[in-house]
Amino acid sequence: VASTGASAPYNGSSWGNAYTNIQDAVNSAASGDLVAIKQGYYSITNSESMVYLSGKNLILRGGYEGSGTPGAYTNDPWKTVLDGQDETRPLYLANCSSGLVEGVAITRGRGTRGGGVLVSNTSVVVRNCALSACKTPSNISGGGIYCGGTDVERIVIDGCVFTWNSGTGAEGGGIYTKNIQFLAVTSSVFAMNTAANGAAMTIAGGSADIFNCLFRNNAPGFISCIKMTSGSCTTTLENCTFEGNKMTALQQVSGDIIAENCIFWRNGS
């Protein structure tokens, strides 16, 4: 997929004949395929231009230079921008047993449940991505990413940055998960996200491992930076830093919590 520089027949056979719309490439792909996205700016302005991936286990990867088959790519997500322009949610994943989203920046998304990304009944890895300035309508959770459904085995967030996202008046400014069996968040940053509860993250059901993450200046959530309502499950935090958040760092409503080698500094109460 290329936002510029491609020419007819736009069938994805080469970079010169690349699709110009990400959804067209997704529609043509089969499970197991790679959808390679060239560095550039992709405007997502309505439900028709939203990237909707349903029932296909695909690799969706940005940052490609646009030469080779498919050639080299960068790990800088801001080289490949999916912009919802404060109009719509850029990415929706549904009914997939596995998948990978890598190397894209999702910004200015707006949507009911998941301003930036909605993950429904899907196990997925989100790696080296940025989610920024995404939000939900008033009193709806999951500003950056909303993950929910039934029998969802595993969600992995690795090496991602969440900034300025908002679960407006609700929960999970950065991430909201509901009924996920296992959530892993590693080597990620949450900064300046807001929500009434769980300004950075709310975990509603299921176990979670949160390792090597930074939570900084998330505000002005009324209660917590991370909220956990995990039933009988356990949330484990290792090597994490909570600094300058304008509310309690952790709110444990139910479930167990284990925190090892973590730093809590200058947080509110």
Side-chain angles (χ1 to χ4, degrees), residues 141-142 145-149 155 157 171-172 175-180 182-183 185 201-208 227 229-230:
S141 298
I145 298 179
Y146 182 105
C147 304
I155 302 291
I157 309 294
E171 299 186 10
I175 300 173
Y176 182 92
T177 66
K178 185 175 182 179
N179 299 326
I180 305 300
F182 182 74
L183 169 69
V185 184
M201 186 187 313
T202 291
I203 304 165
S207 298
K227 180 180 178 181
T229 56
S230 301

Side-chain angles (χ1 to χ4, degrees), residues 14-234:
S14 67
W15 287 112
N17 300 128
Y19 295 103
T20 58
N21 182 285
I22 299 172
Q23 188 62 48
D24 290 341
V26 168
N27 291 342
S28 298
S31 284
D33 283 352
L34 164 68
V35 176
I37 308 171
K38 185 180 177 180
Q39 298 173 23
Y41 173 84
Y42 297 83
S43 177
I44 313 291
T45 57
N46 52 48
S47 59
E48 294 182 357
S49 59
M50 176 183 67
V51 181
Y52 177 48
L53 199 164
S54 178
K56 295 181 180 179
N57 303 328
L58 300 180
I59 299 172
L60 192 71
R61 179 183 289 135
Y64 281 92
E65 296 176 354
S67 61
T69 53
Y73 63 93
T74 177
N75 286 326
D76 181 359
W78 287 102
K79 296 291 186 180
T80 309
V81 178
L82 280 59
D83 186 355
Q85 297 193 38
D86 297 326
E87 295 289 339
T88 194
R89 176 194 303 114
L91 181 59
Y92 181 10
L93 310 174
N95 304 313
C96 305
S97 60
S98 65
L100 170 65
V101 178
E102 183 175 23
V104 296
I106 296 172
T107 187
R108 296 199 298 172
R110 297 291 183 271
T112 302
R113 297 186 307 162
V117 181
L118 173 58
V119 180
S120 177
N121 294 316
T122 292
S123 294
V124 67
V125 176
V126 181
R127 178 180 296 144
N128 293 334
C129 289
L131 285 100
S132 182
C134 298
K135 67 185 297 185
T136 55
S138 181
N139 299 317
I140 302 294
S141 298
I145 298 179
Y146 182 105
C147 304
T150 58
D151 297 323
V152 180
E153 292 184 0
R154 186 178 181 89
I155 302 291
V156 177
I157 309 294
D158 178 46
C160 295
V161 178
F162 293 78
T163 55
W164 300 107
N165 302 292
S166 177
T168 310
E171 299 186 10
I175 300 173
Y176 182 92
T177 66
K178 185 175 182 179
N179 299 326
I180 305 300
Q181 293 182 31
F182 182 74
L183 169 69
V185 184
T186 57
S187 304
S188 295
V189 175
F190 296 79
M192 285 81 73
N193 302 289
T194 64
N197 292 321
M201 186 187 313
T202 291
I203 304 165
S207 298
D209 285 348
I210 304 171
F211 295 167
N212 304 313
C213 291
L214 172 64
F215 300 86
R216 173 177 288 168
N217 295 335
N218 295 285
F222 298 146
I223 298 178
S224 60
C225 182
I226 298 179
K227 180 180 178 181
M228 293 155 287
T229 56
S230 301
S232 60
C233 299
T234 299

